[in-house]
Amino acid sequence: MADSQRIYCNGKHKLSGDHLKNGVNKINGISKTLRNGTTNGSLYKRPFMESFEEAPMYVAVFTYIGFGVVTLFGYLRDFMRAWGLEKCHMAAEREEQKDFVPLYQDFENFYTRNLYMRVRDNWNRPICSVPGPEFDLMERLTDDYNWTYRHTGRVIKNVINMGSYNYLGFAENDVSSLDTVMNMVTKYGVGVCSSRQEMGNLDKHKELEELVSQFVGVESAMVFGMGFATNSMNIPALVGKDCLILSDELNHTSLVLGARLSGATIRVFKHNNMKNLEKLLRDAVVHGQPRTHRTWKKILILVEGIYSMEGSIVRLPEVVYLKKKYKAYLYLDEAHSIGAVGPTGRGVVEYFGINPSEVDVLMGTFTKSFGAIGGYIAGKKDLVDFLRTHSHSAVYATSMSPPVTEQIIRVMKCIMGLDGTMTGLQRVRQLAENTRYFRKRLRELGFITYGNEDSPVIPVLLYMPGKVGAFARHMLEKKIGVVVVGFPATPITEARARFCISAAHTKKMLDTVLDALDEMGEFLQLKYSRHSKSSRVVHIDQPNYEIDD
């Protein structure tokens, strides 16, 4: 049964007056929830539900007050440090270098000194085991308020891992499954010590590329040794001067860096807002380049499959529609979605039932669902052949390690069922089941969560800076490892804990986490949701959005 605040669209898809900047609707001033219609003629072949509930006004007010108090005391403490009234732990320029241009300015580190250092113990915790559904942490203590740490030698064992991108549970140490990987170490060694165009082009790389192209359903693919560089080094090879990039405002840093390095003109559209994207496309086609008004050489749309901070899924059918309508190109980053969504784990393209050939550049990484490292670019053969000679990551970077390559091949064959088992498909289905269960229970408990119903990335909003550190510390005391994120990685009023669900999580583990969250929600007053707990279904005849022909 659905929540009473769920919205059921009638499939007419017109832009309503309450349409918000994120491309979702506001109901009674409380929540922002979206579901695209599934009637004949719709761009969507399946329900599409996302929720971005707004917190009560007092939460935003107290969040700003909290940052104000921290800032005020930060300036006071900086004054005391300058006059020697408080010990200064920060890095400082040496006296003999005072006449040189400073390497950094004090004001640039104000936030780091006075806010981050107070909660620094919640990040960079050293892990000493496989990052599976449970892991072990090295205990560390600080004697100077998080400026330095000392290890006690004690290990905190069996901490439930709710932060790793181990979506399908393949970050494991199952000896029987890793036999082929260990054989690769014996046969090829650990490193290649050369690029693909020199002495580092192995038969295993060719095998993996053929498997990737088969998996995603396109003509050809190329793999790279680093996921971040797959974006940052390949986008500059595809576009340049006199080209236009239209980038979602919440795109990953690797996409942003690649766009900047390309030298192309960059324009940002509001997250998942197709009306805003279409306006930018229309203006680009009508007006052309600034000053000269010449036609753009290329227009490239950059989007992600699943957005790792919001837990939202790209509105791909509409993006593809706009891309065709305005003769643009589409670059889809499936780092978090490949293996994690879709009936057989083939990402958002399969999730929406779209032909992979309709996406010009398919990018993905092996760092999440595949339990490895590296990334790939897939698409038409001409595209991949071009990148083999023009991508800096392909020409200059060391090629992928052989045992890592074998790990990806092993996992991909498992997902595809080529290993003769149903293990991979069972994991994909288990991940979907775990995701829906965890999201449903969080809503029932009264937490505000962001994102799509089917996204395994689940942000739980904490808002106030003082509660961020307290939440992570109390959860660790209960042997639950969580990732907390705040400003500047998120908007200043939207600090959150980000839960990443895995197929390896058992129901008992998820229930343990949910029980702890229930307790923490009461203790720290984090249950901000104003959704009714009623199971009564309310049908709201409120239209959404349709792209006009």
Side-chain angles (χ1 to χ4, degrees):
M1 300 295 285
D3 292 342
S4 63
Q5 295 292 336
R6 288 291 172 210
I7 301 169
Y8 288 80
C9 173
N10 64 1
K12 294 181 180 178
H13 305 300
K14 294 293 180 183
L15 187 63
S16 71
D18 285 330
H19 193 75
L20 297 176
K21 66 179 182 178
N22 285 350
V24 290
N25 291 319
K26 188 173 183 179
I27 301 298
N28 300 326
I30 297 178
S31 66
K32 301 182 276 183
T33 309
L34 167 89
R35 176 168 178 164
N36 279 293
T38 57
T39 58
N40 292 334
S42 171
L43 292 173
Y44 290 81
K45 300 177 182 179
R46 57 173 295 135
F48 185 75
M49 299 179 65
E50 293 196 337
S51 177
F52 296 88
E53 183 181 349
E54 292 180 320
M57 180 61 71
Y58 78 88
V59 176
V61 172
F62 279 109
T63 300
Y64 279 115
I65 291 175
F67 274 99
V69 170
V70 169
T71 301
L72 180 64
F73 276 88
Y75 280 114
L76 176 62
R77 297 188 69 181
D78 278 356
F79 175 80
M80 296 174 65
R81 291 172 186 136
W83 286 91
L85 301 176
E86 180 179 328
K87 186 176 181 180
C88 180
H89 297 281
M90 71 196 78
E93 297 275 5
R94 292 183 296 175
E95 287 296 326
E96 55 268 31
Q97 293 178 320
K98 292 295 184 181
D99 294 332
F100 291 87
V101 176
L103 292 175
Y104 53 85
Q105 299 292 335
D106 279 347
F107 73 89
E108 295 174 351
N109 297 317
F110 179 86
Y111 178 87
T112 302
R113 291 195 306 271
N114 297 297
L115 198 151
Y116 173 72
M117 295 307 294
R118 292 172 178 265
V119 292
R120 185 185 172 205
D121 57 301
N122 297 299
W123 291 278
N124 307 317
R125 290 170 175 151
I127 296 172
C128 52
S129 70
V130 172
E134 294 181 329
F135 55 58
D136 300 337
L137 290 173
M138 295 176 62
E139 186 183 62
R140 62 180 184 178
L141 300 175
T142 178
D143 300 313
D144 50 13
Y145 307 103
N146 294 331
W147 287 94
T148 61
Y149 294 97
R150 57 182 175 85
H151 296 288
T152 65
R154 194 172 77 88
V155 175
I156 306 173
K157 292 185 172 294
N158 302 321
V159 178
I160 298 177
N161 181 5
M162 298 302 297
S164 295
Y165 303 134
N166 184 26
Y167 297 130
L168 295 181
F170 284 110
E172 56 191 0
N173 55 3
D174 183 4
V175 177
S176 61
S177 299
L178 296 174
D179 281 342
T180 57
V181 177
M182 291 185 286
N183 292 338
M184 286 302 105
V185 177
T186 304
K187 183 177 180 180
Y188 292 94
V190 176
V192 180
C193 304
S194 183
S195 67
R196 291 288 297 275
Q197 292 199 355
E198 294 173 331
M199 302 297 293
N201 192 24
L202 304 180
D203 56 341
K204 299 304 295 184
H205 296 144
K206 300 298 293 181
E207 180 184 350
L208 175 57
E209 288 174 345
E210 292 173 2
L211 194 61
V212 170
S213 62
Q214 180 184 349
F215 182 65
V216 299
V218 293
E219 293 179 3
S220 186
M222 183 176 184
V223 298
F224 303 86
M226 181 181 179
F228 190 96
T230 305
N231 278 332
S232 60
M233 293 291 101
N234 282 295
I235 293 174
L238 297 173
V239 291
K241 186 180 179 182
D242 298 329
C243 295
L244 174 65
I245 291 177
L246 300 179
S247 178
D248 190 291
E249 66 179 341
L250 296 183
N251 275 342
H252 189 263
T253 305
S254 59
L255 290 169
V256 175
L257 178 59
R260 291 174 176 173
L261 291 175
S262 71
T265 300
I266 304 170
R267 291 173 184 166
V268 178
F269 62 92
K270 295 176 182 178
H271 175 56
N272 251 353
N273 191 317
M274 298 300 104
K275 184 178 178 68
N276 188 210
L277 174 59
E278 183 172 19
K279 181 181 183 300
L280 293 177
L281 282 166
R282 186 185 296 116
D283 290 346
V285 171
V286 173
H287 301 295
Q289 300 182 43
R291 295 187 297 275
T292 66
H293 298 293
R294 293 176 180 173
T295 303
W296 295 100
K297 288 183 178 179
K298 299 175 189 174
I299 300 177
L300 181 66
I301 303 171
L302 295 183
V303 293
E304 293 186 52
I306 293 178
Y307 291 85
S308 59
M309 285 295 174
E310 306 298 311
S312 57
I313 294 179
V314 64
R315 298 168 70 173
L316 190 60
E318 296 173 71
V319 177
V320 170
Y321 178 93
L322 288 174
K323 164 251 189 188
K324 291 179 179 178
K325 181 176 179 180
Y326 293 95
K327 303 298 188 290
Y329 295 96
L330 175 58
Y331 186 110
L332 174 62
D333 178 345
E334 291 225 64
H336 287 269
S337 54
I338 193 69
V341 295
T344 61
R346 284 167 168 82
V348 294
V349 175
E350 182 188 43
Y351 178 82
F352 288 110
I354 293 175
N355 191 323
S357 63
E358 297 188 43
V359 180
D360 301 287
V361 185
L362 284 161
M363 177 271 175
T365 64
F366 306 117
T367 56
K368 281 83 176 176
S369 297
F370 299 90
I373 57 173
Y376 67 84
I377 294 287
K380 293 185 182 297
K381 187 177 185 302
D382 291 344
L383 166 73
V384 175
D385 289 344
F386 175 83
L387 290 176
R388 291 189 192 279
T389 56
H390 289 79
S391 168
H392 285 73
S393 185
V395 176
Y396 299 109
T398 301
S399 56
M400 185 181 289
S401 170
V404 171
T405 306
E406 179 60 27
Q407 160 71 1
I408 302 167
I409 291 173
R410 178 184 74 85
V411 171
M412 193 167 290
K413 285 183 176 179
C414 183
I415 297 174
M416 298 170 71
L418 298 180
D419 62 347
T421 71
M422 294 290 290
T423 302
L425 186 58
Q426 288 170 355
R427 294 193 186 207
V428 172
R429 292 171 177 171
Q430 186 63 52
L431 173 62
E433 183 179 326
N434 287 352
T435 296
R436 287 190 292 268
Y437 174 73
F438 199 76
R439 279 187 175 275
K440 177 176 178 292
R441 285 292 311 278
L442 286 174
R443 286 198 305 270
E444 292 172 350
L445 290 174
F447 290 98
I448 292 180
T449 61
Y450 278 0
N452 192 280
E453 291 288 291
D454 296 318
S455 169
V457 178
I458 308 177
V460 174
L461 277 294
L462 306 176
Y463 298 106
M464 301 180 194
K467 295 185 179 182
V468 173
F471 179 82
R473 293 179 187 124
H474 282 295
M475 291 297 280
L476 184 58
E477 288 176 2
K478 297 178 180 298
K479 301 185 75 171
I480 299 171
V482 299
V483 172
V484 288
V485 190
F487 180 80
T490 68
I492 195 168
T493 59
E494 295 184 16
R496 65 199 65 176
R498 185 183 60 185
F499 293 87
C500 293
I501 305 302
S502 172
H505 286 139
T506 63
K507 188 174 183 298
K508 182 180 179 181
M509 291 179 186
L510 295 179
D511 285 337
T512 299
V513 174
L514 288 164
D515 290 342
L517 283 172
D518 189 17
E519 183 180 339
M520 281 299 102
E522 297 291 346
F523 178 67
L524 296 175
Q525 296 295 305
L526 298 173
K527 297 181 179 181
Y528 301 115
S529 178
R530 290 175 288 187
H531 278 185
S532 170
K533 303 301 188 298
S534 171
S535 59
R536 181 172 57 92
V537 178
V538 178
H539 295 274
I540 303 177
D541 186 19
Q542 178 166 338
N544 254 327
Y545 174 74
E546 180 182 43
I547 303 165
D548 296 327
D549 291 322

